[in-house]
PDB file of all heavy atoms in Angstrom:
ATOM      1  N   THR A 219      93.870 102.916 108.312  1.00  0.00           N
ATOM      2  CA  THR A 219      93.125 103.755 109.266  1.00  0.00           C
ATOM      3  C   THR A 219      92.069 104.594 108.553  1.00  0.00           C
ATOM      4  O   THR A 219      92.421 105.446 107.702  1.00  0.00           O
ATOM      5  CB  THR A 219      94.073 104.726 110.007  1.00  0.00           C
ATOM      6  OG1 THR A 219      95.073 103.958 110.669  1.00  0.00           O
ATOM      7  CG2 THR A 219      93.351 105.548 111.018  1.00  0.00           C
ATOM      8  N   PRO A 220      90.788 104.332 108.791  1.00  0.00           N
ATOM      9  CA  PRO A 220      89.758 105.233 108.276  1.00  0.00           C
ATOM     10  C   PRO A 220      89.820 106.523 109.180  1.00  0.00           C
ATOM     11  O   PRO A 220      89.604 106.410 110.373  1.00  0.00           O
ATOM     12  CB  PRO A 220      88.471 104.457 108.502  1.00  0.00           C
ATOM     13  CG  PRO A 220      88.877 103.058 108.849  1.00  0.00           C
ATOM     14  CD  PRO A 220      90.239 103.169 109.472  1.00  0.00           C
ATOM     15  N   TRP A 221      90.105 107.681 108.601  1.00  0.00           N
ATOM     16  CA  TRP A 221      90.429 108.829 109.376  1.00  0.00           C
ATOM     17  C   TRP A 221      89.262 109.850 109.466  1.00  0.00           C
ATOM     18  O   TRP A 221      88.586 110.089 108.441  1.00  0.00           O
ATOM     19  CB  TRP A 221      91.659 109.529 108.798  1.00  0.00           C
ATOM     20  CG  TRP A 221      92.286 110.588 109.675  1.00  0.00           C
ATOM     21  CD1 TRP A 221      92.417 111.915 109.399  1.00  0.00           C
ATOM     22  CD2 TRP A 221      92.902 110.366 110.932  1.00  0.00           C
ATOM     23  NE1 TRP A 221      93.045 112.536 110.427  1.00  0.00           N
ATOM     24  CE2 TRP A 221      93.369 111.624 111.416  1.00  0.00           C
ATOM     25  CE3 TRP A 221      93.101 109.249 111.753  1.00  0.00           C
ATOM     26  CZ2 TRP A 221      94.015 111.764 112.599  1.00  0.00           C
ATOM     27  CZ3 TRP A 221      93.715 109.412 112.990  1.00  0.00           C
ATOM     28  CH2 TRP A 221      94.197 110.663 113.378  1.00  0.00           C
ATOM     29  N   LEU A 222      88.989 110.376 110.625  1.00  0.00           N
ATOM     30  CA  LEU A 222      87.954 111.396 110.864  1.00  0.00           C
ATOM     31  C   LEU A 222      86.583 110.905 110.363  1.00  0.00           C
ATOM     32  O   LEU A 222      85.820 111.642 109.722  1.00  0.00           O
ATOM     33  CB  LEU A 222      88.353 112.737 110.166  1.00  0.00           C
ATOM     34  CG  LEU A 222      89.644 113.381 110.575  1.00  0.00           C
ATOM     35  CD1 LEU A 222      89.828 114.699 109.827  1.00  0.00           C
ATOM     36  CD2 LEU A 222      89.668 113.620 112.076  1.00  0.00           C
ATOM     37  N   ARG A 223      86.235 109.683 110.728  1.00  0.00           N
ATOM     38  CA  ARG A 223      85.007 109.075 110.234  1.00  0.00           C
ATOM     39  C   ARG A 223      83.754 109.813 110.828  1.00  0.00           C
ATOM     40  O   ARG A 223      82.667 109.720 110.273  1.00  0.00           O
ATOM     41  CB  ARG A 223      84.934 107.588 110.563  1.00  0.00           C
ATOM     42  CG  ARG A 223      85.623 106.752 109.567  1.00  0.00           C
ATOM     43  CD  ARG A 223      85.012 106.849 108.189  1.00  0.00           C
ATOM     44  NE  ARG A 223      85.513 105.903 107.247  1.00  0.00           N
ATOM     45  CZ  ARG A 223      86.443 106.147 106.351  1.00  0.00           C
ATOM     46  NH1 ARG A 223      86.930 107.391 106.252  1.00  0.00           N
ATOM     47  NH2 ARG A 223      86.844 105.208 105.521  1.00  0.00           N
ATOM     48  N   SER A 224      83.906 110.510 111.925  1.00  0.00           N
ATOM     49  CA  SER A 224      82.779 111.287 112.468  1.00  0.00           C
ATOM     50  C   SER A 224      82.442 112.497 111.655  1.00  0.00           C
ATOM     51  O   SER A 224      81.373 113.106 111.784  1.00  0.00           O
ATOM     52  CB  SER A 224      83.067 111.647 113.924  1.00  0.00           C
ATOM     53  OG  SER A 224      84.206 112.557 114.005  1.00  0.00           O
ATOM     54  N   LEU A 225      83.375 112.901 110.752  1.00  0.00           N
ATOM     55  CA  LEU A 225      83.129 114.053 109.904  1.00  0.00           C
ATOM     56  C   LEU A 225      82.870 113.675 108.470  1.00  0.00           C
ATOM     57  O   LEU A 225      81.951 114.204 107.818  1.00  0.00           O
ATOM     58  CB  LEU A 225      84.366 115.008 109.946  1.00  0.00           C
ATOM     59  CG  LEU A 225      84.743 115.591 111.335  1.00  0.00           C
ATOM     60  CD1 LEU A 225      85.948 116.451 111.202  1.00  0.00           C
ATOM     61  CD2 LEU A 225      83.563 116.388 111.917  1.00  0.00           C
ATOM     62  N   VAL A 226      83.717 112.825 107.897  1.00  0.00           N
ATOM     63  CA  VAL A 226      83.560 112.429 106.472  1.00  0.00           C
ATOM     64  C   VAL A 226      83.805 110.922 106.436  1.00  0.00           C
ATOM     65  O   VAL A 226      84.294 110.289 107.381  1.00  0.00           O
ATOM     66  CB  VAL A 226      84.610 113.143 105.575  1.00  0.00           C
ATOM     67  CG1 VAL A 226      84.275 114.616 105.512  1.00  0.00           C
ATOM     68  CG2 VAL A 226      85.978 112.953 106.100  1.00  0.00           C
ATOM     69  N   ASN A 227      83.481 110.330 105.266  1.00  0.00           N
ATOM     70  CA  ASN A 227      83.640 108.885 105.131  1.00  0.00           C
ATOM     71  C   ASN A 227      84.629 108.428 104.068  1.00  0.00           C
ATOM     72  O   ASN A 227      84.625 107.284 103.703  1.00  0.00           O
ATOM     73  CB  ASN A 227      82.263 108.229 104.809  1.00  0.00           C
ATOM     74  CG  ASN A 227      81.653 108.803 103.536  1.00  0.00           C
ATOM     75  OD1 ASN A 227      82.313 109.569 102.770  1.00  0.00           O
ATOM     76  ND2 ASN A 227      80.431 108.396 103.251  1.00  0.00           N
ATOM     77  N   ASP A 228      85.496 109.382 103.587  1.00  0.00           N
ATOM     78  CA  ASP A 228      86.412 108.966 102.510  1.00  0.00           C
ATOM     79  C   ASP A 228      87.816 109.415 102.724  1.00  0.00           C
ATOM     80  O   ASP A 228      88.588 109.551 101.759  1.00  0.00           O
ATOM     81  CB  ASP A 228      85.852 109.429 101.165  1.00  0.00           C
ATOM     82  CG  ASP A 228      85.684 110.933 101.097  1.00  0.00           C
ATOM     83  OD1 ASP A 228      85.868 111.633 102.130  1.00  0.00           O
ATOM     84  OD2 ASP A 228      85.351 111.429  99.986  1.00  0.00           O
ATOM     85  N   ILE A 229      88.211 109.760 103.975  1.00  0.00           N
ATOM     86  CA  ILE A 229      89.582 110.083 104.265  1.00  0.00           C
ATOM     87  C   ILE A 229      90.228 108.835 104.872  1.00  0.00           C
ATOM     88  O   ILE A 229      89.742 108.294 105.857  1.00  0.00           O
ATOM     89  CB  ILE A 229      89.711 111.294 105.208  1.00  0.00           C
ATOM     90  CG1 ILE A 229      89.141 112.538 104.589  1.00  0.00           C
ATOM     91  CG2 ILE A 229      91.151 111.513 105.639  1.00  0.00           C
ATOM     92  CD1 ILE A 229      89.223 113.748 105.462  1.00  0.00           C
ATOM     93  N   ASP A 230      91.347 108.406 104.322  1.00  0.00           N
ATOM     94  CA  ASP A 230      91.981 107.159 104.738  1.00  0.00           C
ATOM     95  C   ASP A 230      93.521 107.303 104.809  1.00  0.00           C
ATOM     96  O   ASP A 230      94.095 108.090 104.047  1.00  0.00           O
ATOM     97  CB  ASP A 230      91.658 106.021 103.780  1.00  0.00           C
ATOM     98  CG  ASP A 230      90.186 105.879 103.506  1.00  0.00           C
ATOM     99  OD1 ASP A 230      89.473 105.314 104.384  1.00  0.00           O
ATOM    100  OD2 ASP A 230      89.731 106.367 102.464  1.00  0.00           O
ATOM    101  N   LEU A 231      94.146 106.554 105.677  1.00  0.00           N
ATOM    102  CA  LEU A 231      95.573 106.425 105.745  1.00  0.00           C
ATOM    103  C   LEU A 231      95.965 104.956 105.534  1.00  0.00           C
ATOM    104  O   LEU A 231      95.496 104.084 106.299  1.00  0.00           O
ATOM    105  CB  LEU A 231      96.103 106.904 107.098  1.00  0.00           C
ATOM    106  CG  LEU A 231      97.598 106.661 107.370  1.00  0.00           C
ATOM    107  CD1 LEU A 231      98.450 107.490 106.412  1.00  0.00           C
ATOM    108  CD2 LEU A 231      97.955 107.032 108.813  1.00  0.00           C
ATOM    109  N   ALA A 232      96.836 104.697 104.547  1.00  0.00           N
ATOM    110  CA  ALA A 232      97.388 103.368 104.307  1.00  0.00           C
ATOM    111  C   ALA A 232      98.860 103.406 104.527  1.00  0.00           C
ATOM    112  O   ALA A 232      99.559 104.398 104.105  1.00  0.00           O
ATOM    113  CB  ALA A 232      97.054 102.899 102.897  1.00  0.00           C
ATOM    114  N   TYR A 233      99.405 102.419 105.160  1.00  0.00           N
ATOM    115  CA  TYR A 233     100.833 102.389 105.535  1.00  0.00           C
ATOM    116  C   TYR A 233     101.401 101.012 105.340  1.00  0.00           C
ATOM    117  O   TYR A 233     100.851 100.024 105.926  1.00  0.00           O
ATOM    118  CB  TYR A 233     100.999 102.867 106.985  1.00  0.00           C
ATOM    119  CG  TYR A 233     102.394 103.039 107.466  1.00  0.00           C
ATOM    120  CD1 TYR A 233     103.175 104.134 107.016  1.00  0.00           C
ATOM    121  CD2 TYR A 233     102.985 102.152 108.347  1.00  0.00           C
ATOM    122  CE1 TYR A 233     104.486 104.272 107.441  1.00  0.00           C
ATOM    123  CE2 TYR A 233     104.290 102.287 108.786  1.00  0.00           C
ATOM    124  CZ  TYR A 233     105.047 103.393 108.335  1.00  0.00           C
ATOM    125  OH  TYR A 233     106.333 103.568 108.744  1.00  0.00           O
ATOM    126  N   LEU A 234     102.414 100.880 104.531  1.00  0.00           N
ATOM    127  CA  LEU A 234     103.097  99.628 104.287  1.00  0.00           C
ATOM    128  C   LEU A 234     104.515  99.724 104.828  1.00  0.00           C
ATOM    129  O   LEU A 234     105.259 100.626 104.479  1.00  0.00           O
ATOM    130  CB  LEU A 234     103.109  99.338 102.787  1.00  0.00           C
ATOM    131  CG  LEU A 234     103.949  98.119 102.308  1.00  0.00           C
ATOM    132  CD1 LEU A 234     103.328  96.789 102.851  1.00  0.00           C
ATOM    133  CD2 LEU A 234     104.039  98.078 100.782  1.00  0.00           C
ATOM    134  N   ALA A 235     104.906  98.766 105.710  1.00  0.00           N
ATOM    135  CA  ALA A 235     106.273  98.791 106.283  1.00  0.00           C
ATOM    136  C   ALA A 235     106.839  97.370 106.276  1.00  0.00           C
ATOM    137  O   ALA A 235     106.112  96.365 106.335  1.00  0.00           O
ATOM    138  CB  ALA A 235     106.187  99.307 107.738  1.00  0.00           C
ATOM    139  N   GLY A 236     108.152  97.346 106.189  1.00  0.00           N
ATOM    140  CA  GLY A 236     108.837  96.062 106.184  1.00  0.00           C
ATOM    141  C   GLY A 236     110.309  96.192 106.559  1.00  0.00           C
ATOM    142  O   GLY A 236     110.842  97.300 106.504  1.00  0.00           O
ATOM    143  N   TYR A 237     110.935  95.089 106.936  1.00  0.00           N
ATOM    144  CA  TYR A 237     112.347  95.114 107.292  1.00  0.00           C
ATOM    145  C   TYR A 237     113.009  93.774 106.924  1.00  0.00           C
ATOM    146  O   TYR A 237     112.325  92.778 106.740  1.00  0.00           O
ATOM    147  CB  TYR A 237     112.519  95.409 108.806  1.00  0.00           C
ATOM    148  CG  TYR A 237     112.188  94.227 109.675  1.00  0.00           C
ATOM    149  CD1 TYR A 237     113.179  93.354 110.109  1.00  0.00           C
ATOM    150  CD2 TYR A 237     110.861  93.967 110.027  1.00  0.00           C
ATOM    151  CE1 TYR A 237     112.897  92.257 110.936  1.00  0.00           C
ATOM    152  CE2 TYR A 237     110.519  92.862 110.839  1.00  0.00           C
ATOM    153  CZ  TYR A 237     111.576  92.032 111.273  1.00  0.00           C
ATOM    154  OH  TYR A 237     111.247  90.924 112.040  1.00  0.00           O
ATOM    155  N   TYR A 238     114.321  93.819 106.880  1.00  0.00           N
ATOM    156  CA  TYR A 238     115.127  92.602 106.686  1.00  0.00           C
ATOM    157  C   TYR A 238     116.419  92.728 107.502  1.00  0.00           C
ATOM    158  O   TYR A 238     117.143  93.692 107.360  1.00  0.00           O
ATOM    159  CB  TYR A 238     115.469  92.383 105.247  1.00  0.00           C
ATOM    160  CG  TYR A 238     116.298  91.193 104.965  1.00  0.00           C
ATOM    161  CD1 TYR A 238     115.748  89.892 104.970  1.00  0.00           C
ATOM    162  CD2 TYR A 238     117.671  91.303 104.754  1.00  0.00           C
ATOM    163  CE1 TYR A 238     116.539  88.764 104.746  1.00  0.00           C
ATOM    164  CE2 TYR A 238     118.473  90.186 104.541  1.00  0.00           C
ATOM    165  CZ  TYR A 238     117.883  88.899 104.536  1.00  0.00           C
ATOM    166  OH  TYR A 238     118.669  87.783 104.345  1.00  0.00           O
ATOM    167  N   ARG A 239     116.671  91.794 108.365  1.00  0.00           N
ATOM    168  CA  ARG A 239     117.883  91.802 109.190  1.00  0.00           C
ATOM    169  C   ARG A 239     119.041  91.215 108.404  1.00  0.00           C
ATOM    170  O   ARG A 239     118.980  90.156 107.789  1.00  0.00           O
ATOM    171  CB  ARG A 239     117.708  90.969 110.484  1.00  0.00           C
ATOM    172  CG  ARG A 239     117.092  91.774 111.579  1.00  0.00           C
ATOM    173  CD  ARG A 239     117.362  91.174 112.977  1.00  0.00           C
ATOM    174  NE  ARG A 239     116.851  89.830 113.159  1.00  0.00           N
ATOM    175  CZ  ARG A 239     117.593  88.765 113.311  1.00  0.00           C
ATOM    176  NH1 ARG A 239     118.906  88.870 113.326  1.00  0.00           N
ATOM    177  NH2 ARG A 239     116.985  87.597 113.487  1.00  0.00           N
ATOM    178  N   ILE A 240     120.112  91.995 108.410  1.00  0.00           N
ATOM    179  CA  ILE A 240     121.389  91.553 107.729  1.00  0.00           C
ATOM    180  C   ILE A 240     122.320  91.008 108.771  1.00  0.00           C
ATOM    181  O   ILE A 240     122.885  91.701 109.603  1.00  0.00           O
ATOM    182  CB  ILE A 240     122.067  92.761 107.001  1.00  0.00           C
ATOM    183  CG1 ILE A 240     121.044  93.387 106.057  1.00  0.00           C
ATOM    184  CG2 ILE A 240     123.265  92.313 106.248  1.00  0.00           C
ATOM    185  CD1 ILE A 240     121.575  94.705 105.461  1.00  0.00           C
ATOM    186  N   GLY A 241     122.466  89.701 108.747  1.00  0.00           N
ATOM    187  CA  GLY A 241     123.295  89.074 109.816  1.00  0.00           C
ATOM    188  C   GLY A 241     122.632  89.216 111.173  1.00  0.00           C
ATOM    189  O   GLY A 241     121.403  89.193 111.281  1.00  0.00           O
ATOM    190  N   ASP A 242     123.424  89.353 112.168  1.00  0.00           N
ATOM    191  CA  ASP A 242     122.878  89.473 113.572  1.00  0.00           C
ATOM    192  C   ASP A 242     122.912  90.857 114.127  1.00  0.00           C
ATOM    193  O   ASP A 242     122.401  91.070 115.239  1.00  0.00           O
ATOM    194  CB  ASP A 242     123.680  88.548 114.475  1.00  0.00           C
ATOM    195  CG  ASP A 242     123.529  87.051 114.109  1.00  0.00           C
ATOM    196  OD1 ASP A 242     122.448  86.698 113.617  1.00  0.00           O
ATOM    197  OD2 ASP A 242     124.500  86.280 114.288  1.00  0.00           O
ATOM    198  N   TYR A 243     123.510  91.826 113.391  1.00  0.00           N
ATOM    199  CA  TYR A 243     123.729  93.112 114.039  1.00  0.00           C
ATOM    200  C   TYR A 243     123.186  94.298 113.286  1.00  0.00           C
ATOM    201  O   TYR A 243     123.333  95.452 113.750  1.00  0.00           O
ATOM    202  CB  TYR A 243     125.252  93.313 114.225  1.00  0.00           C
ATOM    203  CG  TYR A 243     125.916  92.239 115.027  1.00  0.00           C
ATOM    204  CD1 TYR A 243     126.691  91.244 114.408  1.00  0.00           C
ATOM    205  CD2 TYR A 243     125.744  92.126 116.405  1.00  0.00           C
ATOM    206  CE1 TYR A 243     127.265  90.233 115.143  1.00  0.00           C
ATOM    207  CE2 TYR A 243     126.299  91.113 117.151  1.00  0.00           C
ATOM    208  CZ  TYR A 243     127.087  90.175 116.518  1.00  0.00           C
ATOM    209  OH  TYR A 243     127.659  89.157 117.253  1.00  0.00           O
ATOM    210  N   SER A 244     122.577  94.126 112.143  1.00  0.00           N
ATOM    211  CA  SER A 244     122.060  95.267 111.388  1.00  0.00           C
ATOM    212  C   SER A 244     120.813  94.912 110.615  1.00  0.00           C
ATOM    213  O   SER A 244     120.468  93.711 110.485  1.00  0.00           O
ATOM    214  CB  SER A 244     123.134  95.811 110.429  1.00  0.00           C
ATOM    215  OG  SER A 244     123.475  94.830 109.467  1.00  0.00           O
ATOM    216  N   ALA A 245     120.101  95.901 110.099  1.00  0.00           N
ATOM    217  CA  ALA A 245     118.884  95.681 109.394  1.00  0.00           C
ATOM    218  C   ALA A 245     118.596  96.823 108.404  1.00  0.00           C
ATOM    219  O   ALA A 245     119.047  97.971 108.674  1.00  0.00           O
ATOM    220  CB  ALA A 245     117.697  95.506 110.322  1.00  0.00           C
ATOM    221  N   VAL A 246     117.914  96.534 107.354  1.00  0.00           N
ATOM    222  CA  VAL A 246     117.391  97.561 106.470  1.00  0.00           C
ATOM    223  C   VAL A 246     115.886  97.529 106.521  1.00  0.00           C
ATOM    224  O   VAL A 246     115.252  96.466 106.722  1.00  0.00           O
ATOM    225  CB  VAL A 246     117.882  97.378 105.002  1.00  0.00           C
ATOM    226  CG1 VAL A 246     119.380  97.606 104.860  1.00  0.00           C
ATOM    227  CG2 VAL A 246     117.511  95.996 104.490  1.00  0.00           C
ATOM    228  N   SER A 247     115.255  98.671 106.365  1.00  0.00           N
ATOM    229  CA  SER A 247     113.814  98.753 106.486  1.00  0.00           C
ATOM    230  C   SER A 247     113.277  99.854 105.572  1.00  0.00           C
ATOM    231  O   SER A 247     114.037 100.734 105.130  1.00  0.00           O
ATOM    232  CB  SER A 247     113.369  99.029 107.977  1.00  0.00           C
ATOM    233  OG  SER A 247     114.091 100.160 108.479  1.00  0.00           O
ATOM    234  N   ALA A 248     111.999  99.812 105.278  1.00  0.00           N
ATOM    235  CA  ALA A 248     111.380 100.812 104.425  1.00  0.00           C
ATOM    236  C   ALA A 248     109.895 100.903 104.734  1.00  0.00           C
ATOM    237  O   ALA A 248     109.305  99.980 105.283  1.00  0.00           O
ATOM    238  CB  ALA A 248     111.589 100.439 102.941  1.00  0.00           C
ATOM    239  N   SER A 249     109.305 102.031 104.324  1.00  0.00           N
ATOM    240  CA  SER A 249     107.878 102.159 104.482  1.00  0.00           C
ATOM    241  C   SER A 249     107.313 103.130 103.444  1.00  0.00           C
ATOM    242  O   SER A 249     108.010 103.993 102.905  1.00  0.00           O
ATOM    243  CB  SER A 249     107.508 102.696 105.898  1.00  0.00           C
ATOM    244  OG  SER A 249     107.854 104.052 106.023  1.00  0.00           O
ATOM    245  N   LEU A 250     106.026 102.918 103.113  1.00  0.00           N
ATOM    246  CA  LEU A 250     105.314 103.750 102.157  1.00  0.00           C
ATOM    247  C   LEU A 250     104.020 104.179 102.850  1.00  0.00           C
ATOM    248  O   LEU A 250     103.228 103.359 103.290  1.00  0.00           O
ATOM    249  CB  LEU A 250     105.007 102.963 100.886  1.00  0.00           C
ATOM    250  CG  LEU A 250     104.125 103.685  99.855  1.00  0.00           C
ATOM    251  CD1 LEU A 250     104.790 104.922  99.277  1.00  0.00           C
ATOM    252  CD2 LEU A 250     103.729 102.720  98.727  1.00  0.00           C
ATOM    253  N   ARG A 251     103.828 105.501 102.867  1.00  0.00           N
ATOM    254  CA  ARG A 251     102.634 106.052 103.514  1.00  0.00           C
ATOM    255  C   ARG A 251     101.797 106.819 102.445  1.00  0.00           C
ATOM    256  O   ARG A 251     102.331 107.596 101.686  1.00  0.00           O
ATOM    257  CB  ARG A 251     103.042 107.019 104.646  1.00  0.00           C
ATOM    258  CG  ARG A 251     101.900 107.819 105.247  1.00  0.00           C
ATOM    259  CD  ARG A 251     102.434 108.917 106.158  1.00  0.00           C
ATOM    260  NE  ARG A 251     102.992 108.282 107.385  1.00  0.00           N
ATOM    261  CZ  ARG A 251     102.412 108.299 108.578  1.00  0.00           C
ATOM    262  NH1 ARG A 251     101.240 108.922 108.727  1.00  0.00           N
ATOM    263  NH2 ARG A 251     102.943 107.744 109.602  1.00  0.00           N
ATOM    264  N   TYR A 252     100.507 106.542 102.437  1.00  0.00           N
ATOM    265  CA  TYR A 252      99.593 107.240 101.492  1.00  0.00           C
ATOM    266  C   TYR A 252      98.370 107.713 102.247  1.00  0.00           C
ATOM    267  O   TYR A 252      97.639 106.925 102.855  1.00  0.00           O
ATOM    268  CB  TYR A 252      99.165 106.270 100.368  1.00  0.00           C
ATOM    269  CG  TYR A 252      98.353 106.973  99.289  1.00  0.00           C
ATOM    270  CD1 TYR A 252      98.965 107.607  98.249  1.00  0.00           C
ATOM    271  CD2 TYR A 252      96.971 106.952  99.351  1.00  0.00           C
ATOM    272  CE1 TYR A 252      98.243 108.239  97.284  1.00  0.00           C
ATOM    273  CE2 TYR A 252      96.206 107.603  98.368  1.00  0.00           C
ATOM    274  CZ  TYR A 252      96.853 108.251  97.325  1.00  0.00           C
ATOM    275  OH  TYR A 252      96.119 108.875  96.345  1.00  0.00           O
ATOM    276  N   PHE A 253      98.157 109.017 102.255  1.00  0.00           N
ATOM    277  CA  PHE A 253      97.053 109.645 102.965  1.00  0.00           C
ATOM    278  C   PHE A 253      96.124 110.335 101.954  1.00  0.00           C
ATOM    279  O   PHE A 253      96.452 111.265 101.295  1.00  0.00           O
ATOM    280  CB  PHE A 253      97.614 110.670 103.947  1.00  0.00           C
ATOM    281  CG  PHE A 253      96.542 111.331 104.768  1.00  0.00           C
ATOM    282  CD1 PHE A 253      95.856 110.651 105.742  1.00  0.00           C
ATOM    283  CD2 PHE A 253      96.238 112.718 104.612  1.00  0.00           C
ATOM    284  CE1 PHE A 253      94.893 111.257 106.496  1.00  0.00           C
ATOM    285  CE2 PHE A 253      95.281 113.351 105.385  1.00  0.00           C
ATOM    286  CZ  PHE A 253      94.593 112.591 106.350  1.00  0.00           C
ATOM    287  N   SER A 254      94.935 109.748 101.787  1.00  0.00           N
ATOM    288  CA  SER A 254      93.949 110.235 100.839  1.00  0.00           C
ATOM    289  C   SER A 254      92.954 111.113 101.548  1.00  0.00           C
ATOM    290  O   SER A 254      92.365 110.745 102.579  1.00  0.00           O
ATOM    291  CB  SER A 254      93.228 109.062 100.156  1.00  0.00           C
ATOM    292  OG  SER A 254      92.126 109.528  99.386  1.00  0.00           O
ATOM    293  N   LEU A 255      92.728 112.315 101.028  1.00  0.00           N
ATOM    294  CA  LEU A 255      91.694 113.256 101.529  1.00  0.00           C
ATOM    295  C   LEU A 255      90.358 113.086 100.909  1.00  0.00           C
ATOM    296  O   LEU A 255      89.481 113.982 101.031  1.00  0.00           O
ATOM    297  CB  LEU A 255      92.155 114.687 101.451  1.00  0.00           C
ATOM    298  CG  LEU A 255      93.188 115.133 102.523  1.00  0.00           C
ATOM    299  CD1 LEU A 255      94.594 114.656 102.163  1.00  0.00           C
ATOM    300  CD2 LEU A 255      93.172 116.640 102.718  1.00  0.00           C
ATOM    301  N   GLY A 256      90.180 112.009 100.176  1.00  0.00           N
ATOM    302  CA  GLY A 256      88.877 111.697  99.554  1.00  0.00           C
ATOM    303  C   GLY A 256      88.596 112.600  98.339  1.00  0.00           C
ATOM    304  O   GLY A 256      89.489 113.159  97.765  1.00  0.00           O
TER     305      GLY A 256
END
């Protein structure tokens, strides 16, 4: 996500997410969020 582009041009949000189902009834998941203020 390029953030607040009407104000500045170097603020960005990057988000990585993933999951894995264990059998038929459960899952593990994780995510990494990085927000740069330029």
Side-chain angles (χ1 to χ4, degrees):
T219 303
W221 193 243
L222 301 181
R223 277 298 188 261
S224 61
L225 299 179
V226 293
N227 60 5
D228 58 355
I229 297 181
D230 309 281
L231 172 65
Y233 187 74
L234 173 66
Y237 75 94
Y238 178 78
R239 275 201 298 115
I240 305 171
D242 296 327
Y243 304 105
S244 62
V246 291
S247 52
S249 72
L250 173 65
R251 172 188 289 254
Y252 186 86
F253 182 68
S254 170
L255 279 81

